[in-house]
């Protein structure tokens, strides 16, 4: 924990509490926070913050006095005030490439722990380049991608590596299957990230130069090819999300991943027809994101602030299977749960913040993954909260 965390007024602030995922995260904390948690909602629109608080107070009258903080991502002073008031900041204000940097800067300067939901690799690399060193110095833990991107993948890989318990090279594949719908905020963030492939590659190259590689060990994200997986009985389609980068970063940071760790990341589909269809849809969206009029048209069709209904979320689900191989031994594990994008994401994000605030975690600082910062403590929390981690 940052040295002066016990002198802060608050334990946790949720910035973006008026958005779709921010309000779900606030509702999760309202139901599951430990007694005496000192927390607040932050956002740019006071009237909307009051409405969110009133909805929380309908379930628990004691929340009628929950503090509300004014904060706008274009107002550095307001973000500094939030960062200095609390031990941990949760932010759901995206697209992070457009709105995220100033809060990372404020937390790195104030030694405040930070968790977000970004799935934008360029944002994560740019934040590493600009603020990692300062956060190491201040003691802040900057934890990106603490939702469905990338917790099940990062902690599922960590769980499988511990289960293998091998000191030989490890090859791991992660296979995602999910049923659910995206919110407007997720769609806008994905279109923003996909519209900048060149900038994303540049940031990645710059980061590699600065970060270097671990000495005497290797950890790599390897892009696989579409193929049939006999063990899982699925067609696998390489999935170019932020997840493999996060998993490889944990592999580079943690000695338990062995001398040579290789991770490949796939979507798992039942038939070849779905595999081809999936490639066409993902390719079509990536292409549309490159063409400004088409990108802008699509953005007007799906509005920020909207998201799947509670009925739709109740029917949603995810599984991530991991197959780890090392020294002739194979381990098959699975992480699974309900609605990946929102209900489970809100749970993962809130539990990450609670873990940073209260658990006895490994000593880390700077930009760190969930496996580096919290690993076992967060797995235990998520299991208690209903997300399954199992060995098959
Ligand atoms: N990776 C994952 O697993 C995952 C899952 C879910 C969501 N996400 C990400 O989380 C982010 C939020 O998604 P969402 O669907 O909740 O989006 P949303 O409903 O559009 O919410 C966005 C929030 O950001 C706030 N905001 C926007 N501009 C701001 C500014 N200049 N200053 C302060 N606040 C500002 C909005 O405030 P107002 O209400 O005042 O407009 C709102 O509270 C997206 O980037 C999405 O990709 C990721």
């Amino acid at each position: 924990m940052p040295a002066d965390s016990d002198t802060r007024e608050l334990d946790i602030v949720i910035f973006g509490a008026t958005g779709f995922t921010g309000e779900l995260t606030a509702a999760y904390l309202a139901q599951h926070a430990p007694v005496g948690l000192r927390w607040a909602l932050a956002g740019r629109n006071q009237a909307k913050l009051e409405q969110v608080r009133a909805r929380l107070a309908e379930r628990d009258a004691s929340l009628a006095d929950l503090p509300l903080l004014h904060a706008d991502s274009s107002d550095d002073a307001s973000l500094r005030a939030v960062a200095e008031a609390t031990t941990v900041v949760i932010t759901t204000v995206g697209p992070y490439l457009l709105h995220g940097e100033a809060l990372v800067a404020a937390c790195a300067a104030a030694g405040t722990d930070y968790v977000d939901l970004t799935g934008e690799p360029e944002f994560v690399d740019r934040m590493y380049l600009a603020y990692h060193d300062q956060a190491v110095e201040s003691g802040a833990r900057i934890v990106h991608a603490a939702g469905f991107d990338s917790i099940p993948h990062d902690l599922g890989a960590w769980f499988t590596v511990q289960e293998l318990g091998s000191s030989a090279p490890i090859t791991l594949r992660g296979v995602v299957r999910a049923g659910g719908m995206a919110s407007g905020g997720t769609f806008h963030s994905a279109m923003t990230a996909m519209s900048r492939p060149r900038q994303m590659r540049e940031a990645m190259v710059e980061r590699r130069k600065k970060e270097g590689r671990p000495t005497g060990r290797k950890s790599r994200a390897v892009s696989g090819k579409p193929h049939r997986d006999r063990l899982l009985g699925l067609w696998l389609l390489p999935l170019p999300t932020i997840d493999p980068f996060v998993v490889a970063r944990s592999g580079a940071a943690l000695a338990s991943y062995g001398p040579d760790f290789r991770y490949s990341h796939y979507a798992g589909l039942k038939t070849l027809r779905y595999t081809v269809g999936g490639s066409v849809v993902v390719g079509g969206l990536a292409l549309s994101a490159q063409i400004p009029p088409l990108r802008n048209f699509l953005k007007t069709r799906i509005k920020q602030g909207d998201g799947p209904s509670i009925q739709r979320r109740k029917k949603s689900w995810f599984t991530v299977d991991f197959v780890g191989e090392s020294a002739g031994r194979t381990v098959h594990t699975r992480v699974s749960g309900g609605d990946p994008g929102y209900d489970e994401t809100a749970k993962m994000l809130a539990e990450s913040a609670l873990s940073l605030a209260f658990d006895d975690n490994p000593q880390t600082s700077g930009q760190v993954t969930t496996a580096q910062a919290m690993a076992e403590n967060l797995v235990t929390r998520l299991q208690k909260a209903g997300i399954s981690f199992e060995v098959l």
Side-chain angles (χ1 to χ4, degrees):
M1 246 192 260
D4 58 352
S5 59
D6 53 351
T7 64
R8 306 261 168 123
E9 291 157 47
L10 296 162
D11 301 310
I12 295 175
V13 171
I14 305 181
F15 179 45
T18 55
F20 187 73
T21 322
E23 182 165 354
L24 288 175
T25 308
Y28 182 87
L29 266 191
Q31 273 186 296
H32 299 93
V35 178
L37 181 79
R38 300 166 310 160
W39 62 295
L41 309 179
R44 61 181 170 176
N45 182 325
Q46 178 72 15
K48 272 181 153 183
L49 282 172
E50 283 171 12
Q51 286 162 13
V52 172
R53 179 171 66 180
R55 286 193 284 272
L56 295 176
E58 279 168 21
R59 293 198 215 159
D60 176 349
S62 72
L63 297 173
D65 294 327
L66 202 61
L68 305 179
L69 310 178
H70 169 76
D72 191 305
S73 62
S74 58
D75 172 359
D76 291 355
S78 71
L79 299 180
R80 256 199 317 276
V82 166
E84 287 169 7
T86 185
T87 303
V88 186
V89 179
I90 292 175
T91 171
T92 56
V93 175
Y96 292 87
L97 273 165
L98 303 183
H99 304 304
E101 175 163 358
L103 182 62
V104 176
C107 289
T112 301
D113 291 332
Y114 163 105
V115 274
D116 73 22
L117 284 182
T118 189
E120 300 154 61
E122 181 192 344
F123 175 70
V124 174
D125 289 341
R126 292 203 183 285
M127 296 306 98
Y128 177 85
L129 290 164
Y131 305 105
H132 173 73
D133 291 346
Q134 190 183 9
V136 167
E137 233 168 81
S138 70
R141 291 168 292 186
I142 307 294
V143 184
H144 299 290
F148 185 61
D149 285 324
S150 298
I151 283 188
H153 316 97
D154 191 27
L155 293 185
W158 177 86
F159 179 77
T160 313
V161 165
Q162 308 315 302
E163 201 55 41
L164 270 168
S166 172
S167 54
I170 294 174
T171 305
L172 182 67
R173 58 187 185 276
V175 179
V176 188
R177 302 188 66 227
M181 265 179 65
S183 70
T186 298
F187 183 73
H188 280 245
S189 296
M191 291 304 270
T192 303
M194 285 193 290
S195 70
R196 301 167 55 90
R198 182 177 51 78
Q199 294 91 330
M200 184 177 99
R201 272 194 304 276
E202 284 168 2
M204 191 182 287
V205 168
E206 249 185 90
R207 178 186 184 144
R208 255 192 222 138
K209 266 195 231 151
K210 180 173 156 74
E211 194 172 26
R213 296 179 195 279
T215 29
R217 300 177 50 242
K218 285 184 196 158
S219 176
R220 284 169 287 170
V222 181
S223 47
K225 296 203 171 93
H227 66 279
R228 175 102 184 140
D229 186 312
R230 281 171 197 241
L231 177 75
L232 301 177
L234 294 169
W235 286 92
L236 304 194
L237 189 64
L239 204 52
T241 59
I242 195 172
D243 306 309
F245 300 113
V246 174
V247 171
R249 235 162 256 150
S250 295
L254 300 171
S256 60
Y257 287 59
D260 189 356
F261 174 74
R262 276 183 293 165
Y263 178 71
S264 41
H265 190 61
Y266 300 95
L269 297 136
K270 280 205 168 138
T271 67
L272 189 56
R273 194 153 52 97
Y274 286 156
T275 312
V276 173
S279 315
V280 170
V281 170
V282 172
L285 272 179
L287 193 65
S288 319
Q290 316 302 313
I291 305 166
L294 196 50
R295 178 171 75 234
N296 294 336
F297 171 74
L298 287 173
K299 280 179 163 177
T300 59
R301 308 301 296 170
I302 303 175
K303 292 208 170 44
Q304 287 182 276
D306 290 347
S309 68
I310 187 161
Q311 289 80 6
R312 183 67 189 83
R313 299 201 309 273
K314 274 191 178 149
K315 289 189 215 147
S316 302
W317 57 277
F318 78 89
T319 61
V320 191
D321 281 71
F322 294 89
V323 180
E325 292 167 308
S326 182
R329 188 165 160 248
T330 301
V331 166
H332 179 189
T333 67
R334 180 174 294 157
V335 181
S336 58
D339 173 51
Y342 304 97
D343 290 338
E344 299 296 43
T345 281
K347 183 187 282 181
M348 293 182 223
L349 186 61
E351 291 292 352
S352 298
L354 289 168
S355 178
L356 289 175
F358 300 116
D359 291 345
D360 187 10
N361 285 309
Q363 192 69 39
T364 59
S365 58
Q367 190 188 97
V368 282
T369 63
T370 54
Q372 269 177 282
M374 296 167 273
E376 189 163 10
N377 286 328
L378 188 51
V379 170
T380 305
R381 281 181 171 276
L382 295 177
Q383 283 174 320
K384 279 192 192 144
I387 294 182
S388 162
F389 287 73
E390 57 191 319
V391 181
L392 299 174

